[in-house]
């Protein structure tokens, strides 16, 4: 898993190790949910622990993604005037060739 992340520096490497450990721990806790003699209370505790670990893993993946992208976002804002009686469309549009 760490090799697949292909960390570019020490920070990404440390985060990749944390991600691998968190994932392994979450899978170990989920495996304990299948115990035949587990009590309802124990199953609830394991389920809660697994949910927290999986949430932490998802956050780590998001942090890793942000590190890779440089944390930059691209937002394009266009100003359009719509006069009375006019119509506007919001979204991505592609101009189609007319076949008249």
């Amino acid at each position: 898993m760490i090799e697949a992340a292909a960390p570019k520096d020490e920070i990404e490497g440390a985060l990749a190790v944390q991600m691998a450990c968190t994932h392994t721990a979450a899978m170990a806790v989920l495996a304990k949910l299948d115990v035949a003699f587990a009590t309802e209370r124990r199953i609830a505790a394991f389920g809660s622990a697994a949910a927290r670990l999986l949430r932490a893993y998802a956050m780590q993946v998001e942090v890793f993604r942000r590190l890779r992208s440089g944390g930059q976002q691209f937002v394009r804002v266009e100003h359009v005037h719509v006069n009375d009686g006019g119509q506007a469309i919001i979204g991505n549009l592609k101009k189609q060739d007319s076949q008249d």
Side-chain angles (χ1 to χ4, degrees):
M1 184 178 259
I2 297 165
E3 188 176 321
K8 295 178 181 175
D9 57 26
E10 290 81 8
I11 293 175
E12 284 189 8
L15 186 55
V17 170
Q18 287 180 2
M19 289 167 57
C21 292
T22 303
H23 176 74
T24 301
M27 295 303 108
V29 172
L30 286 172
K32 292 186 180 205
L33 285 174
D34 194 27
V35 176
F37 300 106
T39 64
E40 189 174 315
R41 188 175 191 180
R42 188 172 166 145
I43 290 173
F46 284 142
S48 177
R52 287 192 309 264
L53 285 165
L54 292 170
R55 196 168 27 254
Y57 178 74
M59 288 175 29
Q60 291 166 337
V61 170
E62 178 62 19
V63 168
F64 193 82
R65 185 193 63 77
R66 286 184 184 177
L67 277 173
R68 282 282 167 96
S69 69
Q72 298 177 358
Q73 294 180 353
F74 177 77
V75 177
R76 185 172 91 186
V77 178
E78 295 182 14
H79 187 78
V80 178
H81 292 280
V82 180
N83 297 320
D84 289 339
Q87 295 180 350
I89 300 173
I90 299 173
N92 295 327
L93 303 176
K94 292 183 180 179
K95 188 174 183 178
Q96 296 180 349
D97 295 331
S98 62
Q99 298 180 6
D100 294 356

